[in-house]
Structure formats: structure tokens, C-alpha cells
Amino acid sequence: MTKTILTGDRPTGPLHLGHYVGSLESRVRLQHTYDTYVLIADLQALTDHAEAPELIRRSVLEVALDYLAVGIDPGVATIVVQSGVPELAELATYYLNLVSVARLQRNPTVKEEMRQKGFDADVPAGFLVYPVSQAADITAFRATLVPVGDDQRPMIELAAEIARRFNRVYGPVLVEPEALVPPVGRLPGTDGGGKMGKSLGNAIFLSDPADVVVEKVRGMFTDPGHVRASDPGRVEGNPVFAYLDAFDRDPAAVDALKARYRAGGLGDVAVKRRLIDVLDAFLAPIRARRAELAADPARVADVLRAGTARGRAVAARTLADVRAAMGIGQWDAPVPEPRST
Ligand code: TRP
């Protein structure tokens, strides 16, 4: 079996360091050994931004620039714009019948997002069922592996469940995917919050200019008990150290800093100064490539058009197999005996 990756992002703004740690890094690393598809999920973006279509439209290009700037290579990976693949919506329609509303309401990530977005009782139907549409994205490309942040684990489990159920009911057509979650876990926000989020005001974006990064790091939450440099400080739950763990190329130096911080005698300012240097070393080349690509939007558009056409062909083949297995659209042919299950 060929090894295939499908993963993606909602285009509701530029991507940030949390996206990099959670998923972009794996995609760039694995794109040469896996058949890789990366989906810009503009239809999924509508499920929580129905009233901001201009934002989504603008963000498709932003996200594409982020992908190319971090090193997703359109020569080996296929970048697909979801709205260019209507087959995904048809697949989702079939899958909606294979999952219960109660099952969807139990999804911990959806519950948490509903709370954050203040949806409560007013959740859009499309939002509640977006994990089903995501199952369509994943299975349409016959993905075996889905590199995602920790919060997306329940989505991949649901996709596997739907694939299993489909295969049992209609015949073996779909591939059951597995999640690939990085060991680092999720990157906290600059405010020390559990997750870096575009809409939470606690993100450092891959496209942030150097001076903005400096300001954001200076304003970062640390250990509130670490008042004077001479006080012993806590490393656990301190986002400055979480970022150093994720981005510093010299883990031994980070361990030494942690020891000094714990013992007392190392100020937040010094640790933040190191983080500023580390992030600048990481982001400067990304920023430069991004600026170069942004100056040539026609080239980026060509990448998206070509990728979407290639992706659509793959999804269309899966949809044809799905329809054939279900006998959908074959009302004019003799009806076979029911499958024994
Ligand atoms: N739900 C993902 C997010 O919030 C985006 C996404 C859409 C996705 N389709 C996908 C992720 C398919 C993995 C696979 O970022």
C-alpha cells in the first residue's frame, strides 16, 4: 500500500508557531517519503466564519504562502484548495448517515471550540458536523497518515470509525487513517494558555516581522512567582521554556538555563533575550522566502490551481468507488443480492 499523507488547515488567518510544531514540521519532513496532500480547508473555515467570506478568501493565499515559506515543496507535495473539490461535499453527505448526533456532540475538541466561540446552544449545524466533512477530506485522498496537533486526534479517530463503518456496510473501499501527533504536545500561547490560537490573541505568526516578535516575547507570561531574578523560578508551565524546548537547536544549553532558572539567579529578561534570538534564527529565512513569494502572486496561484486539479482527480476516483459500492446512481441497472455482513 502506498503511504499517503493528507492534512490541512482552515484559512482564517496566517499560520503560527503552534501550527509549525503541531503539523507543518512533520509535513515538510515526510513529504519526500509519503505521497503528500495538504488541504486549504476553506469550506471548513466557513463553519465558524460564515459571516467573513472575505477573510477566508484572503487567507487562502496567506496560508499558501506560509506553506511554501516553511518548505512544503509543490514539486513533491500537492496543495489543494478544498472549494475546488466539490466531490468532498458529496462524500460528506454520505458519511453524515454513518454517525450519530450524540457521537458528534461528545467530540472534546468540538466542545472546547464551541465554548471558546461562545456557540453554546446556537452552534451552526455545519460546525457540529465539520468532523464528518474532515473525514471526507481524509478518506477522499486515501490517507494512511494524518500529521496533526494533539487537539485534532478525535477527528482522525472519527474518520477511521466512519471508514470502518462504511467498509462494513457497503464493501471495502476506504482506508482507515492514523494520526501522527508530535511528541512535544501542543505549544502554549504567549499568555501561558493551553493552546496557541489565531483568535485567542496569544499567537506568534510565522509572518510576524522581527520587531513584532520581540514585542510579543517581551510581553510573554512567565512564572508569576519569579519576581526578582534571584528568586527560584518554575520551568514547568512557563511558556518561554516551552518555546525554547521546541525551537532552540541546542537542548544542552536550554537544560543549563533551566537549572539556573530553577535555582534562582536567572532573570526572565535574559531567558527572553535568548528566545528572541532563537525565534529570529528560525523565522528570518521563512520571512525572507515568504516576502519573495508574496511578490509573485501569479506563481502561487499557479501552484494552487495545479495542486487542486491533481487533488480533484484523486477525490473523484474515491467518490466513484464510493458510489459504486453504495449502488448510488445505478437505479437503471439490476439490483444485486444484499451483501451478507
Ligand atoms: N480541522 C483542521 C484544523 O482545525 C483543519 C483540517 C481540515 C484538517 N481538513 C483536514 C486537518 C483534514 C487534517 C485533515 O486545523
Side-chain angles (χ1 to χ4, degrees), residues 12-218:
T12 53
L15 302 182
H16 53 62
L17 295 180
H19 291 112
Y20 188 84
V21 169
S23 172
L24 292 171
E25 193 275 330
S26 318
R27 304 177 198 179
V28 173
R29 188 163 37 82
L30 297 174
Q31 63 184 339
H32 299 284
T33 38
Y34 281 75
D35 210 359
T36 297
Y37 296 89
V38 183
L39 187 73
I40 303 182
D42 52 352
L43 299 189
Q44 188 178 115
L46 280 167
T47 66
D48 64 338
H49 283 77
E51 279 152 36
E54 323 72 26
L55 170 74
I56 295 171
R57 187 171 157 186
R58 231 179 309 122
S59 301
V60 169
L61 207 60
E62 293 293 324
V63 169
L65 287 172
D66 286 329
Y67 287 168
L68 298 170
V70 297
I72 290 179
D73 174 0
V76 292
T78 303
I79 303 177
V80 180
V81 182
Q82 191 181 28
S83 55
V85 188
E87 287 77 5
L88 297 174
E90 186 175 334
L91 279 177
T93 303
Y94 301 139
Y95 296 173
L96 279 168
N97 304 312
L98 300 177
V99 60
S100 72
V101 172
R103 172 77 179 79
L104 293 171
Q105 284 170 330
R106 276 198 302 274
N107 185 310
T109 299
V110 169
K111 277 207 262 189
E112 170 65 14
E113 284 176 298
M114 279 168 55
R115 203 186 50 74
Q116 268 171 15
K117 296 171 201 297
F119 280 155
D120 302 317
D122 269 340
V123 60
F127 187 81
L128 186 66
V129 305
Y130 91 73
V132 179
S133 122
Q134 190 159 326
D137 303 340
I138 294 167
T139 55
F141 293 90
R142 300 181 198 272
T144 49
L145 198 67
V146 189
V148 281
D150 178 51
D151 62 306
Q152 291 291 302
R153 223 190 261 279
M155 312 305 169
I156 319 311
E157 276 163 20
L158 183 75
E161 241 172 78
I162 289 176
R164 218 171 302 137
R165 178 116 195 259
F166 185 98
N167 292 343
R168 185 157 44 78
V169 176
Y170 302 111
V173 172
L174 301 176
V175 176
E176 284 180 38
E178 244 180 83
L180 174 69
V181 176
V184 227
R186 57 183 87 173
L187 202 66
T190 52
D191 57 356
K195 185 188 169 187
M196 185 177 283
K198 262 179 288 224
S199 50
L200 303 174
N202 65 4
I204 295 177
F205 295 98
L206 296 168
S207 49
D208 275 342
D211 57 325
V212 172
V213 175
V214 170
E215 239 169 84
K216 287 183 178 177
V217 172
R218 284 204 181 126

